[in-house]
Amino acid sequence: MLKPIQILGASSSYRSRKPQPNSLIRKPISLLLPASQVRFRMSSTHSKSNPQGPSVSIHSTILQGNIRKINFCQFCGGPTKHEIPDGEEKVRAICTRCGKITYDNPKMVVGCLIEHDKKILMCRRKIHPSYGLWTLPAGYMEIGESAAEGAIRETWEEANAEVEVQSPFAQLDIPLIGQTYMIFLAKLKNPHFSPGPESSECQLFELNDIPFDSLAFSSMLVTLKLYIEDIKVGIPKFHYGIINKRPGTSPSEIHAYTLDFHMQS
């Protein structure tokens, strides 16, 4: 029987180039999991400048009314106004011509952490953003495909690599930019790979040689650190995490709270 497990917590502060409004609403996260079969623990990934890390407790930060400016209706092209519609709690983009609401929903990014001969396959980006930096093959999930299918497709497009998904590895939510990353552990079907149109280089890295100082995205930093931690401990887990950051924060300075799950035998 599935029982809800409620996890609560608190945020930490971050350096920012601009003062941030006090507009955070703290709400609990409710996860439906087979509680009798799952063990979990919390860990924190934090910046080098604060090795002690923030106080250890978790929460979800929801940015109230933090919408991207939508100036035109996606249905009729009319100009929009930004108000709180009747029966809702957040500011929405409402068409002044047809009255329809344009919702700005989060995007799902899917990708693969590919293991081969105790090495990890990574791609150097040939497009913006983060041109010239390293990443795991990943991209936006498309309509009509599952998350795993999207991760396999993105791996082929960015690294010309055929992979077999082994298991889900991490789900990382980034509320500030409205993205959720779903990363799968995968194996190469054959040892052949090469840069796709969006990559300038593809390379297998030993764990000690992963270019942490030149990673493209904070999600990649968190994913790779969690993977290395799992390898050291020798216990495979599924990680759920929230990455909290502010504009101008580099991947090496991000904070992430993660919940790690592994099934009991």
Side-chain angles (χ1 to χ4, degrees):
M1 179 178 180
L2 293 180
K3 297 180 180 180
I5 302 175
Q6 192 176 72
I7 303 103
L8 299 174
S11 65
S12 60
S13 59
Y14 304 90
R15 291 180 297 173
S16 174
R17 296 178 181 177
K18 296 182 180 179
Q20 298 297 316
N22 185 21
S23 60
L24 297 181
I25 294 180
R26 294 175 172 83
K27 294 186 178 180
I29 308 170
S30 182
L31 299 179
L32 287 177
L33 296 166
S36 62
Q37 300 180 22
V38 179
R39 296 164 55 188
F40 61 91
R41 70 181 182 82
M42 188 276 292
S43 64
S44 174
T45 299
H46 48 77
S47 67
K48 296 178 181 178
S49 61
N50 183 21
Q52 298 303 317
S55 59
V56 179
S57 49
I58 297 183
H59 85 280
S60 169
T61 58
I62 298 178
L63 303 182
Q64 177 74 6
N66 183 29
I67 63 169
R68 295 176 179 84
K69 192 73 171 179
I70 300 173
N71 295 316
F72 299 97
C73 175
Q74 67 179 9
F75 301 100
C76 73
T80 60
K81 60 182 179 179
H82 294 83
E83 297 177 353
I84 301 177
D86 292 339
E88 298 200 25
E89 298 178 351
K90 292 186 177 182
V91 173
R92 308 291 188 186
I94 307 171
C95 182
T96 58
R97 182 184 298 167
C98 70
K100 291 184 178 180
I101 299 173
T102 297
Y103 291 94
D104 189 22
N105 297 319
K107 300 289 187 180
M108 175 71 80
V109 180
V110 291
C112 288
L113 196 166
I114 302 159
E115 306 165 307
H116 185 74
D117 289 340
K118 297 183 179 181
K119 299 178 182 179
I120 299 299
L121 181 62
M122 301 185 68
C123 305
R124 189 191 291 271
R125 288 177 63 81
K126 197 171 70 174
I127 59 172
H128 291 286
S130 301
Y131 180 93
L133 299 182
W134 290 92
T135 184
L136 299 175
Y140 290 121
M141 181 177 168
E142 296 185 358
I143 297 294
E145 65 185 7
S146 68
E149 289 170 341
I152 292 171
R153 173 186 53 77
E154 285 290 339
T155 300
W156 174 255
E157 291 177 357
E158 297 188 5
N160 288 312
E162 293 187 76
V163 297
E164 180 179 350
V165 164
Q166 302 293 301
S167 65
F169 176 71
Q171 177 185 331
L172 301 172
D173 295 337
I174 314 180
L176 179 69
I177 59 175
Q179 290 184 358
T180 288
Y181 277 73
M182 190 69 191
I183 305 298
F184 294 87
L185 289 179
K187 299 285 188 182
L188 287 174
K189 288 185 176 182
N190 56 67
H192 304 297
F193 56 86
S194 61
E198 297 182 357
S199 305
S200 61
E201 184 180 355
C202 294
Q203 183 176 332
L204 286 168
F205 285 93
E206 300 275 2
L207 297 188
N208 292 334
D209 296 328
I210 291 174
F212 281 106
D213 58 345
S214 56
L215 292 179
F217 307 110
S218 58
S219 55
M220 300 296 105
L221 172 72
V222 174
T223 298
L224 289 165
K225 284 187 175 294
L226 289 172
Y227 175 76
I228 291 175
E229 181 180 316
D230 283 3
I231 292 295
K232 290 179 179 178
V233 176
I235 302 175
K237 296 184 289 288
F238 172 74
H239 306 269
Y240 169 75
I242 300 170
I243 296 178
N244 292 317
K245 63 180 182 178
R246 293 290 178 264
T249 304
S250 69
S252 62
E253 296 175 321
I254 64 94
H255 292 221
Y257 296 104
T258 64
L259 270 162
D260 306 334
F261 302 87
H262 68 273
M263 300 300 295
Q264 294 179 336
S265 58

